[in-house]
Amino acid sequence: MILLGEKKWILWAVALGTMIGTLPINVLYVKFGARFPFFLAGLTSIISTALIPWAAGLNYWILILLRFIQGLAYSADFAAIGLITVRWAPLTETATFIAVMTSFTGISSTATNSVTGVICESSLGWKWSYYLHAAVGLFLFCLWYIVYIDHPQDTKRVSCKELSKIEKSKSAAHLDKSTDVPYGKLLTSPVIWCVWLNAFFEMSAVIVCSTYMPIYFHEVLGFGVTETGFWVALVLFIWLPVRWVSAVMSDKMTCVGERAKMLMFNTVAVGGTGAFFAVIGFIPAENKYWSVAAFTMTMCCVGVNSGGFYKCGVLHARQYAHVVIAAIQWTKCVALFSAPAMVALFVTTESVRTQWIGVYLVFGGLMQITNLLSYCIFTDKPASWTNSDEKPVAVSKA
């Protein structure tokens, strides 16, 4: 049986691997594109996932090593999303692109929790959950390698009309395939740092939800294993329609300016998430369905973030947005450390509800502070170091 302290290290191994892998994978993406590096990361993830059951029965530290390797592979995800957004998304549809692609977190969590719950209680046993995920992963990454093209200009599958829409309002510097990334200017930009701070504290809430919600539902609220899998899957799925609808609204709304929209969506995504997150621990265990509702509202608020800090990062950094989005994943890695550390600080017995109050309250309060900070710093204008025209992005009527 794995103890609470050992669970912490299993999570931290993934975080460490992702933190170490973020910069190298970003360099590879800039040099070679996303097609092959992301495929290689996928194969690494597939092999390490398939070996988890063997390592769990053999040696704890081999298990930790495989989790570290999974983290290295995971570091490829957000950088790929950023690069696809930079190269394939029209500026008028950035929120929609980001919302659809970052939905992988909710979709994968829903599939993993629901399928794993059924497999664990079947005659197959928990090991087959890993084998099944590895098999599905192999199919999907082979499909990626066959279908994906790094540049829309390099494929006949994109018509002239589609290419014109993709490139509309983008500067020559944005479309330059060989542009160098100004890391120094990125790392000293107050706007980019504000984006990362908002992302970090919201990601901390997401990590607590996705990682500890099954534990909280089972140990504190008293749901059975199958019920826990169902409710967790529902909470992690129901926010997806909210995510897609809010992204389209962010891209298509014309009644308010771009910056005002950005602040409005960020207030819901970070401020709203923090408000609902802070009250979870105060709900008595006997009112367990109110707790489920609070978790649901938390995740629904998270779903609005593509129109908030994500969009700010993309519109400000333009052709370098993949670096900003990759760094958001890096903040998520830090959250993979900070969230378990916060839980370890406050929670010694998982079944005691009152011990969880501090976890939810601290992260909820910090989200309110960073959201207020965005009102002073966020902008929809491109940075001077992007060499982009500062004319406003016209809303597409298509």
Side-chain angles (χ1 to χ4, degrees), residues 25 36 43 48 88 92 100 105 112 209 234 242 246-247 309 314 319 368 381:
I25 197 69
F36 183 72
L43 292 181
S48 56
W88 284 89
T92 56
V100 171
T105 303
T112 297
C209 284
L234 181 64
V242 175
S246 66
F309 59 79
V314 171
Q319 67 267 34
Q368 300 302 324
K381 299 293 189 296

Side-chain angles (χ1 to χ4, degrees), residues 90-147:
L91 290 177
T92 56
E93 297 179 13
T94 53
T96 303
F97 263 68
I98 291 170
V100 171
M101 288 189 290
T102 54
S103 294
F104 79 90
T105 303
I107 294 171
S108 61
S109 296
T110 300
T112 297
N113 283 289
S114 56
V115 172
T116 300
V118 173
I119 292 176
C120 286
E121 293 197 334
S122 71
S123 58
L124 293 174
W126 64 272
K127 294 181 180 180
W128 276 93
S129 174
Y130 289 91
Y131 301 147
L132 177 63
H133 282 82
V136 173
L138 180 61
F139 168 77
L140 292 176
F141 277 101
C142 286
L143 189 63
W144 157 270
Y145 191 76
I146 293 169
V147 172

Side-chain angles (χ1 to χ4, degrees), residues 8-32:
K8 174 182 66 178
W9 284 104
I10 289 173
L11 293 173
W12 283 357
V14 176
L16 183 60
T18 310
M19 291 176 72
I20 292 174
T22 297
L23 181 58
I25 197 69
N26 191 70
V27 172
L28 289 174
Y29 278 3
V30 171
K31 188 172 183 179
F32 299 109

Side-chain angles (χ1 to χ4, degrees), residues 38-122:
F38 190 57
F39 176 71
L40 186 62
L43 292 181
T44 303
S45 176
I46 290 161
I47 294 169
S48 56
T49 298
L51 291 175
I52 289 288
W54 166 78
L58 182 67
N59 184 277
Y60 173 73
W61 292 108
I62 295 178
L63 174 63
I64 294 298
L65 176 62
L66 288 176
R67 291 286 287 170
F68 173 80
I69 294 172
Q70 285 182 317
L72 290 175
Y74 183 58
S75 67
D77 292 357
F78 274 52
I81 290 170
L83 200 59
I84 293 169
T85 301
V86 167
R87 292 180 176 175
W88 284 89
L91 290 177
T92 56
E93 297 179 13
T94 53
T96 303
F97 263 68
I98 291 170
V100 171
M101 288 189 290
T102 54
S103 294
F104 79 90
T105 303
I107 294 171
S108 61
S109 296
T110 300
T112 297
N113 283 289
S114 56
V115 172
T116 300
V118 173
I119 292 176
C120 286
E121 293 197 334
S122 71

Side-chain angles (χ1 to χ4, degrees), residues 181-251:
V181 179
Y183 289 106
K185 293 179 179 179
L186 269 167
L187 292 173
T188 54
S189 168
V191 176
I192 299 304
W193 274 102
C194 190
V195 167
W196 288 339
L197 277 174
N198 276 267
F200 169 67
F201 290 115
E202 193 205 57
M203 290 295 178
S204 297
V206 173
I207 293 299
V208 172
C209 284
S210 60
T211 304
Y212 293 102
M213 188 164 36
I215 296 172
Y216 194 85
F217 280 17
H218 183 59
E219 297 291 341
V220 176
L221 303 182
F223 287 114
V225 174
T226 303
E227 285 181 300
T228 296
F230 170 78
W231 286 115
V232 170
L234 181 64
V235 171
L236 296 178
F237 173 79
I238 204 169
W239 71 294
L240 290 175
V242 175
R243 186 167 192 76
W244 300 328
V245 171
S246 66
V248 173
M249 288 176 60
S250 173
D251 284 335

